[in-house]
Amino acid sequence: MRLAFGVDIGGTNTRLALVDESGNILELKSFRTDPESHEAVLERLAREILELKGSVCGSIVGVGVGCAGVIRFESGTLLFSPNLPGWKNVAISERLRDLVGFCVFVDNDANMFTLAEAKLGAGRGKKHIIGLTLGTGVGGGIFVDGKLIRGSWGGGAELGHIIIDPEGPGCNCGARGCIEAYVGAYAIERRARELFLSNARAVPKNLTPEYIGKLANEADRVACEIIASTAYYLAIGVASIINIFNPEMVVIGGGISNLGPLLFDPLRRLALKKALPHLAESVTIEKSVLGPTAGVLGAAFTCFAS
Ligand SMILES: [Zn+2]
């Protein structure tokens, strides 16, 4: 049985899993990430990998590492990550390979998510899938003909930065009116604050998407309006994505996807109405089924696919 290590480096925690080719997680570990310095994190990761390696039978094909940010895929270099301000131009692949002796592949976390959902999750068995991760930022993954499409050096598939209104609100990337500037967690909170104030309501302290979802489930009018506008803007982006890629499925994960039918019902209705009719007929819009383990699974499957 072939095995691979899958690593998901988040802004708060780093997860490490040992995964077999059927997608079973044999071991799962987690430790704190230092967002300011990579060396201690990579050394800890190497120690954990070497320790696990000693206890398994089966051939280990490599280590896949996912993290948010801009990555040169071939060299496995993280150029920039919004979650890891101290990690700039880090040659993760080279450093980790020196420490553990395996091939190391490094890719964007949204690509890892999309690959995992395509191989093991909502899109299992399908060959044309678009993945979107809705968190603080909005990530994208393009899986076409059974393979991820990353662009010329790996920086592509930034679907969250499709501009849907050049006069729109500011995005974390510096542009205006990106999908992320409407449906990233920070953008939803910004819009929510404005809506509460314009409705002469006190702004709740804990204005997270989860809390807004809770209010909406209690039929709070402002909360319902916030989610309706989130679905509306997301649908504009998803309709364009459907028209460009003609996917079989758009799979959506990340914290905001936990709004469930509150988000997905209007999203499906609006996106499929806005997309070209023939393309809309042949696509479904689904919620991620793998949840938080998608990152490590996709990272491990990057090794099996390479
Ligand atoms: Zn942007």
Side-chain angles (χ1 to χ4, degrees):
M1 175 68 92
R2 296 201 307 162
L3 306 171
F5 288 103
V7 180
D8 183 5
I9 303 179
T12 310
N13 290 307
T14 293
R15 292 156 157 258
L16 163 68
L18 180 63
V19 178
D20 71 19
E21 246 178 323
S22 306
N24 299 306
I25 294 179
L26 309 177
E27 296 277 354
L28 183 63
K29 296 192 166 199
S30 175
F31 58 90
R32 301 285 290 181
T33 306
D34 179 351
E36 296 300 333
S37 166
H38 61 274
E39 192 52 31
V41 175
L42 296 183
E43 282 177 6
R44 169 80 187 268
L45 203 45
R47 271 201 311 278
E48 301 281 2
I49 287 170
L50 292 173
E51 204 178 296
L52 284 173
K53 175 193 155 196
S55 66
V56 298
C57 51
S59 78
I60 294 169
V61 298
V63 182
V65 181
C67 61
V70 183
I71 288 151
R72 278 192 181 275
F73 182 70
E74 259 185 36
S75 65
T77 306
L78 173 65
L79 302 184
F80 159 82
S81 172
N83 301 336
L84 307 165
W87 297 45
K88 288 209 169 68
N89 296 312
V90 181
I92 294 178
S93 177
E94 188 183 278
R95 181 69 184 126
L96 208 50
R97 189 179 58 228
D98 287 348
L99 291 169
V100 299
F102 296 121
C103 285
V104 179
F105 302 92
V106 184
D107 204 351
N108 178 280
D109 60 347
N111 280 345
M112 299 304 198
F113 162 82
T114 305
L115 184 64
E117 290 291 341
K119 295 286 184 186
L120 303 163
R124 192 172 190 147
K126 299 195 186 305
K127 290 175 77 177
H128 298 269
I129 293 192
I130 300 298
L132 289 174
T133 56
L134 307 183
T136 305
V138 176
I142 302 168
F143 185 78
V144 169
D145 243 341
K147 282 198 300 206
L148 283 172
I149 304 289
R150 302 180 175 89
S152 58
W153 52 262
E158 289 287 358
L159 303 175
H161 299 284
I162 292 175
I163 294 172
I164 56 175
D165 179 359
E167 308 297 325
C171 180
N172 270 354
C173 73
R176 302 196 78 84
C178 301
I179 295 175
E180 178 178 307
Y182 292 95
V183 307
Y186 67 90
I188 295 174
E189 285 169 34
R190 180 170 59 196
R191 207 165 53 253
R193 190 172 304 278
E194 288 165 7
L195 264 174
F196 274 106
L197 289 174
S198 67
N199 280 273
R201 296 261 307 269
V203 178
K205 275 204 183 74
N206 183 26
L207 206 50
T208 59
E210 293 76 28
Y211 185 67
I212 294 166
K214 181 176 168 289
L215 288 180
N217 274 319
E218 293 160 2
D220 181 284
R221 197 177 56 77
V222 172
C224 289
E225 202 176 319
I226 295 159
I227 294 175
S229 63
T230 302
Y232 169 78
Y233 291 118
L234 186 56
I236 296 173
V238 168
S240 291
I241 286 168
I242 291 170
N243 289 346
I244 295 167
F245 296 105
N246 182 203
E248 297 167 89
M249 180 184 286
V250 177
V251 57
I252 298 177
I256 296 157
S257 70
N258 293 330
L259 289 169
L262 282 173
L263 177 72
F264 279 83
D265 289 351
L267 168 64
R268 288 188 181 108
R269 188 167 38 77
L270 293 166
L272 298 180
K273 201 166 135 194
K274 290 174 194 298
L276 291 173
H278 288 96
L279 301 182
E281 278 168 19
S282 59
V283 64
T284 61
I285 300 169
E286 305 294 340
K287 184 177 183 301
S288 151
V289 298
L290 297 173
T293 56
V296 288
L297 288 169
F301 268 71
T302 302
C303 303
F304 297 134
S306 296

